[in-house]
Amino acid sequence: MANTTWLLYYLTRRRFSPSFRSFFFIPTSLALFTSLFILFYISTTSTLFFSNQQPSIPHLNQPLLSGSSSTAQINISNNTQSPIVHVSNFNRLNENDRDGRESQRSLRPQFGSSDGIYVNNELFHDKDIFLEDYKQMNRSFKIYVYPHRRNDPFANVLLPVDFEPGGNYASESYFKKALMESHFITKDPAKADLFFLPFSITRLRHDPRVGVGGIQDFIRDYILNISRKYPFWNRTGGADHFYAACHSIGRSAMEKSEEVKFNAIQVVCSSSYFLSGYIAHKDVSLPQIWPRRGDPPNLASSKRKKLAFFAGSINSPVRERLLHSWRNDSEIFAHFGRLTTPYADELLGSKFCLHVKGFEVNTARIGDSLYYGCVPVIIANHYDLPFADILNWKSFSVVVATLDIPLLKKILKGISSDQYLMFQKKVLEVRKHFQWHCPPVDYDAFYMVMYELWLRRTSVRVSLPVSKNPNH
């Protein structure tokens, strides 16, 4: 203690030389200058100090993909059998792809109020571009499917089902069945825009020879086999290949095949861009839709007496928060467990139907809501919504952050009658895009997924290293 006191006394009494004092002055001045610069930057770029600033016109975010074919510069290393490909500018717009004409989307700005804030109430980002590209897709888009015989030991996994799919994960089987019977299929791989990996994650999961624990090995071995038997995988590292899966286990199925996860197009229901295994704009969000027959019902908004409805199990913190906030509410009906009334009646009697994240961001509830004419409320952070490259989700749905669940009633009641009628009108228009058919019909879920794939077709420039082995 005495030593410390003596040191303090020495420092306070000592006269430092000018050079020594300047040693402390320089960093102090730099720190002060930096602080002033930060405060100036915040004051000029933020509303933290001035809350009464006039709103500026927001940047119009155009969809990343256009109808043009994207160009990928791919570098392939021969260090492994199936290399991971680094794709640059995979989703850049090619401005003059369609016969020399401009192919960029134009959102045609509409200003819905005098303050100049952009409001897009149209169902499509650009309907004219979509319809024109849709015709071109139907004329020219070709898919090559790796062939497998009916006597293949895993024909049940690799071939389409011979019955009409059903159940919660039917989207995977519907898509595969429709694709294999469609005009998009070509037997000439030279004409193919993309290559389909036909394994079924759902059927692998239920196959006793494989099961959940063996799916990763099956996928790894399948990729190894096709890469040895055919040249198509190796020339792009799988960048022009895709597979489809609706069960959430499809995400972990690629853990031993990273080149599939990072290079190939994953058409999956579990499309969360928060997770590292899913890459938005490379991968495709497959809508999870419970199959239903017949035309969807129509019910006027005036007959929908309940404000909002949800039914489901408590299998996530998000649903626990919903239950905690609205379990006993008289206007928001949050049911957990078995319903005492028909599920369809609840959807038909509600203005808004809640899609709340469970184990995954996806459930079949968006498709349920649209089918029964109920405006979907999406409470699932980081959900890459199906067909977001094509459809303007803000025109027919309400997205609520999970932190705002306690404010749910205030948000929904803040929507005017005119706004709600606009929402429901768009719901009735958009629901045809969220239905499966056997065989498929124009603009249904199958054709919308095909359009998403068509947007991702690539013009690939491959740079292969020269092999020193002439027999390689």
Side-chain angles (χ1 to χ4, degrees):
M1 182 69 182
N3 292 335
T4 305
T5 305
W6 179 86
L7 178 62
L8 292 173
Y9 174 80
Y10 174 79
L11 291 173
T12 56
R13 301 290 297 176
R14 179 178 175 85
R15 294 180 177 273
F16 296 106
S17 64
S19 61
F20 189 82
R21 288 196 298 270
S22 64
F23 176 77
F24 287 98
F25 175 76
I26 293 174
T28 303
S29 300
L30 289 174
L32 179 61
F33 176 78
T34 303
S35 300
L36 291 174
F37 178 78
I38 292 173
L39 288 173
F40 174 76
Y41 177 80
I42 293 175
S43 66
T44 56
T45 60
S46 173
T47 59
L48 181 63
F49 301 113
F50 306 101
S51 60
N52 59 346
Q53 292 180 347
Q54 291 297 320
S56 59
I57 299 176
H59 176 70
L60 307 182
N61 292 320
Q62 297 185 9
L64 194 57
L65 298 172
S66 77
S68 62
S69 172
S70 56
T71 300
Q73 176 66 48
I74 296 181
N75 298 314
I76 299 180
S77 169
N78 61 349
N79 293 332
T80 59
Q81 287 290 336
S82 297
I84 293 179
V85 178
H86 302 284
V87 182
S88 62
N89 298 330
F90 190 86
N91 296 309
R92 292 285 179 87
L93 298 180
N94 185 341
E95 297 181 0
N96 299 297
D97 180 64
R98 191 183 297 105
D99 300 327
R101 294 170 294 171
E102 288 293 323
S103 182
Q104 290 179 302
R105 295 182 185 274
S106 60
L107 290 182
R108 297 194 180 110
Q110 301 172 359
F111 295 93
S113 58
S114 59
D115 58 11
I117 295 179
Y118 171 77
V119 178
N120 179 17
N121 293 326
E122 297 300 321
L123 182 59
F124 294 89
H125 294 302
D126 193 310
K127 187 175 182 179
D128 293 338
I129 291 293
F130 168 70
L131 293 176
E132 182 180 350
D133 288 348
Y134 185 90
K135 293 177 183 177
Q136 185 177 343
M137 174 198 72
N138 266 315
R139 288 194 303 265
S140 63
F141 194 34
K142 294 300 177 185
I143 306 292
Y144 180 80
V145 182
Y146 285 102
H148 297 281
R149 298 177 179 176
R150 293 201 171 273
N151 61 354
D152 189 294
F154 285 96
N156 62 312
V157 170
L158 300 169
L159 298 179
V161 297
D162 56 2
F163 52 86
E164 186 164 351
N168 207 25
Y169 306 107
S171 291
E172 176 186 313
S173 296
Y174 262 110
F175 173 76
K176 182 177 176 180
K177 183 177 178 65
L179 174 63
M180 301 290 276
E181 298 172 358
S182 72
H183 66 279
F184 296 109
I185 297 298
T186 178
K187 294 184 179 181
D188 183 359
K191 297 180 179 179
D193 297 291
L194 295 176
F195 295 79
F196 180 50
L197 304 168
F199 50 76
S200 168
I201 298 297
T202 301
R203 295 180 77 78
L204 281 171
R205 177 172 170 259
H206 293 292
D207 193 312
R209 298 168 295 176
V210 181
V212 173
I215 293 179
Q216 294 180 3
D217 292 327
F218 183 95
I219 302 300
R220 179 198 59 202
D221 295 342
Y222 183 84
I223 298 300
L224 182 61
N225 288 336
I226 65 166
S227 66
R228 289 175 174 175
K229 188 175 181 179
Y230 302 94
F232 318 122
W233 178 274
N234 293 329
R235 70 184 183 185
T236 65
D240 53 359
H241 287 58
F242 71 96
Y243 75 92
C246 197
H247 197 281
S248 58
I249 203 171
R251 186 175 64 250
S252 61
M254 306 301 150
E255 290 302 318
K256 294 183 180 180
S257 306
E258 288 196 339
E259 66 275 13
V260 179
K261 180 165 59 176
F262 293 119
N263 296 351
I265 302 169
Q266 303 178 105
V267 183
V268 292
C269 291
S270 300
S271 53
S272 171
Y273 51 81
F274 179 76
L275 302 172
S276 60
Y278 179 85
I279 304 173
H281 298 294
K282 174 184 79 70
D283 299 328
V284 174
S285 177
L286 179 67
Q288 184 173 350
I289 302 170
W290 189 278
R292 292 181 172 87
R293 293 187 177 184
D295 295 329
N298 292 316
L299 189 66
S301 59
S302 60
K303 296 182 180 180
R304 297 178 181 269
K305 303 301 181 183
K306 297 176 181 177
L307 178 63
F309 165 75
F310 173 81
S313 59
I314 309 175
N315 57 6
S316 72
V318 181
R319 293 186 181 182
E320 289 177 359
R321 184 177 299 172
L322 181 74
L323 177 64
H324 176 75
S325 299
W326 304 107
R327 166 181 272 175
N328 299 315
D329 193 78
S330 60
E331 294 178 285
I332 296 178
F333 292 81
H335 294 272
F336 296 88
R338 185 175 294 275
L339 284 171
T340 57
T341 55
Y343 181 59
D345 290 350
E346 295 289 347
L347 295 171
L348 285 168
S350 303
K351 293 182 177 180
F352 298 95
C353 296
L354 309 183
H355 165 94
V356 186
K357 180 186 181 299
F359 286 121
E360 301 289 342
V361 293
N362 57 290
T363 74
R365 288 174 181 81
I366 290 180
D368 296 343
S369 302
L370 298 175
Y371 185 84
Y372 289 103
C374 185
V375 176
V377 177
I378 300 158
I379 309 176
N381 292 356
H382 315 298
Y383 188 10
D384 188 21
L385 293 164
F387 315 139
D389 296 314
I390 311 163
L391 301 174
N392 173 26
W393 278 80
K394 291 182 179 180
S395 70
F396 63 91
S397 69
V398 180
V399 178
V400 177
T402 56
L403 287 176
D404 290 336
I405 287 176
L407 304 175
L408 182 59
K409 184 184 289 190
K410 181 179 179 181
I411 292 171
L412 297 182
K413 287 204 164 186
I415 297 173
S416 67
S417 298
D418 290 341
Q419 285 177 312
Y420 176 78
L421 290 175
M422 184 273 292
F423 277 137
Q424 195 187 40
K425 178 176 179 291
K426 298 301 181 185
V427 163
L428 299 181
E429 292 178 17
V430 80
R431 62 184 178 182
K432 68 179 180 182
H433 304 304
F434 290 83
Q435 296 176 44
W436 295 107
H437 300 92
C438 281
V441 300
D442 258 340
Y443 305 108
D444 71 354
F446 169 72
Y447 280 99
M448 295 294 281
V449 174
M450 291 303 296
Y451 183 80
E452 288 278 21
L453 286 168
W454 184 77
L455 290 174
R456 286 156 175 78
R457 74 203 188 282
T458 58
S459 174
V460 182
R461 297 191 300 271
V462 183
S463 55
L464 287 169
V466 178
S467 175
K468 296 180 180 180
N469 181 0
N471 297 321
H472 189 269

